[in-house]
Amino acid sequence: ASEGKGGPFKYVLCKPSAQLGNRLRFVVACFALALLTERVLIVTMKSGYHASLRDIFDLEQLPLDANQFHNAPSGGTTLSFPQSNNKLTCTDIRKWDETAISLAGAYYFVPHLFY
């Protein structure tokens, strides 16, 4: 199992969708959530007919796809938007103890992280 300084790693599993601008905005929101909750961010961009991050940018040395993280969990808590806004706004996200938080979509939820 993968471990960090304080024990096993925790993850934010990010699965953006929609067009490129919305997908990148969603990745930034997932990155903010990962930073605030001290989690590893794993991005998988393989939905529909859209190109992956590796196809769009020169990322040969940067592992951004969940397929490269064989020990990463695939479940955990799944947040969908806008239904999950109250979980982000009304709880202390730093106290979430789930190993994995899965997010999918194109919703920009960063403002809800700072209420």
Side-chain angles (χ1 to χ4, degrees):
S2 300
E3 294 205 12
K5 274 197 295 191
F9 285 128
K10 292 185 177 183
Y11 301 88
V12 170
L13 308 171
C14 179
K15 299 173 187 172
S17 61
Q19 301 301 327
L20 180 61
N22 289 329
R23 288 187 287 161
L24 293 177
R25 187 172 59 172
F26 189 72
V27 170
V28 168
C30 291
F31 180 67
L33 179 63
L35 283 176
L36 291 171
T37 59
E38 297 181 0
R39 296 172 184 269
V40 175
L41 175 63
I42 299 175
V43 178
T44 301
M45 212 179 265
K46 291 184 176 182
S47 61
Y49 60 89
H50 303 294
S52 69
L53 277 179
R54 196 170 306 286
D55 293 336
I56 298 168
F57 301 105
D58 184 18
L59 302 172
E60 292 300 321
Q61 303 302 317
L62 189 59
L64 284 176
D65 191 76
N67 294 331
Q68 297 184 14
F69 293 88
H70 302 292
N71 294 328
S74 59
T77 298
T78 301
L79 300 179
S80 57
F81 301 99
Q83 296 86 351
S84 295
N85 286 349
N86 62 344
K87 181 162 174 79
L88 291 173
T89 305
C90 300
T91 63
D92 186 351
I93 61 173
R94 294 167 295 177
K95 293 182 180 177
W96 290 354
D97 59 357
E98 298 94 335
T99 301
I101 299 171
S102 299
L103 301 111
Y107 186 77
Y108 185 68
F109 57 86
V110 168
H112 296 280
L113 299 176
F114 298 100
Y115 282 109

